Amino acid sequence: AQKVTQAQTEISVVEKEDVTLDCVYETRDTTYYLFWYKQPPSGELVFLIRRNSFDEQNEISGRYSWNFQKSTSSFNFTITASQVVDSAVYFCALEVDGADGLTFGKGTHLIIQP
Amino acid sequence: NAGVTQTPKFQVLKTGQSMTLQCAQDMNHEYMSWYRQDPGMGLRLIHYSVGAGITDQGEVPNGYNVSRSTTEDFPLRLLSAAPSQTSVYFCASSYLDRGLQETQYFGPGTRLLVL
């Protein structure tokens, strides 16, 4: 069975600080995908990134960066110079078999204070 | 493209009532799925479909039925609503690439309250 753990239930930082959201996953499969989604207060789910298990390169997209480490089964998400608009719940998810859907973590509520 | 649409956006039911949550996508995606989101629980898969005429159960299927008569539509039916089904329901769709999903597109969600 698959499992995704987001140990940080809630994080609160002051605007312009850097913040890292942790994601640890468990699977016995060697082929899988990892995802991050953002859920702002409006409630929709916004896709951020999809990374396959064979690509351990870190990725940077503007102020967002992702660190994938198979050795520690982690796929952490860092926001640099955080902004109030980054306030949201962030979900990490794992896919090992398309038909079984995604296994989501419980989410991290990120609060960026002005 | 409208993407993934869901109706209604909000619904109040009494215990024992039935209803259908509608989901449609216009991207010709083979894969469609329904999740429920409860506070502190993340999203959990209810049912999914890999194509028209094919459906299967996810992690929490009890109390829900689905059908997939067309590629575009994937309705979720609550046969006899219970307070435990109070939740936010998300429909999603994606292409399948060698059995794995491409990017999932989520609908805006349906907020359901069962009294």
Side-chain angles (χ1 to χ4, degrees), chain A residues 31 33 37 39 43 45 47 50 91 95-102 104-106, chain B residues 31 35 37 40-43 45 48 50 90 96 99-104 106 108:
Chain A
T31 301
Y33 281 95
Y37 284 87
Q39 187 175 45
L45 285 159
F47 167 80
R50 171 178 179 256
F91 290 98
E95 177 197 7
V96 298
D97 182 325
D100 287 341
L102 271 59
F104 281 83
K106 295 184 178 181
Chain B
Y31 186 91
Y35 292 85
Q37 182 181 18
M41 296 292 293
L43 280 78
L45 184 66
Y48 65 90
V50 297
F90 287 97
L96 288 177
L100 290 172
Q101 294 185 49
E102 293 282 334
T103 302
Q104 277 213 32
F106 282 87

Side-chain angles (χ1 to χ4, degrees), chain B residues 6-22:
Chain B
Q6 291 184 237
T7 56
K9 291 185 178 180
F10 182 71
Q11 183 73 44
V12 179
L13 290 178
K14 294 181 179 179
T15 297
Q17 286 185 318
S18 62
M19 79 159 295
T20 299
L21 280 63
Q22 301 292 344

Side-chain angles (χ1 to χ4, degrees), chain B:
Chain B
N1 286 351
V4 180
T5 57
Q6 291 184 237
T7 56
K9 291 185 178 180
F10 182 71
Q11 183 73 44
V12 179
L13 290 178
K14 294 181 179 179
T15 297
Q17 286 185 318
S18 62
M19 79 159 295
T20 299
L21 280 63
Q22 301 292 344
C23 174
Q25 53 92 8
D26 60 358
M27 297 172 280
N28 202 32
H29 287 164
E30 311 101 307
Y31 186 91
M32 297 186 74
S33 56
W34 278 101
Y35 292 85
R36 60 177 287 172
Q37 182 181 18
D38 302 296
M41 296 292 293
L43 280 78
R44 292 180 293 169
L45 184 66
I46 304 172
H47 283 286
Y48 65 90
S49 169
V50 297
I54 305 170
T55 64
D56 209 339
Q57 298 180 352
E59 179 186 355
V60 287
N62 292 343
Y64 307 95
N65 274 358
V66 293
S67 61
R68 183 97 179 267
S69 56
T70 66
T71 299
E72 294 78 20
D73 300 300
F74 191 45
L76 178 72
R77 297 183 185 84
L78 281 70
L79 304 176
S80 177
S84 61
Q85 294 179 304
T86 293
S87 188
V88 179
Y89 292 84
F90 287 97
C91 179
S93 74
S94 67
Y95 286 117
L96 288 177
D97 177 20
R98 287 166 289 182
L100 290 172
Q101 294 185 49
E102 293 282 334
T103 302
Q104 277 213 32
Y105 294 86
F106 282 87
T110 293
R111 191 173 296 271
L112 177 66
L113 174 62
V114 182
L115 302 174

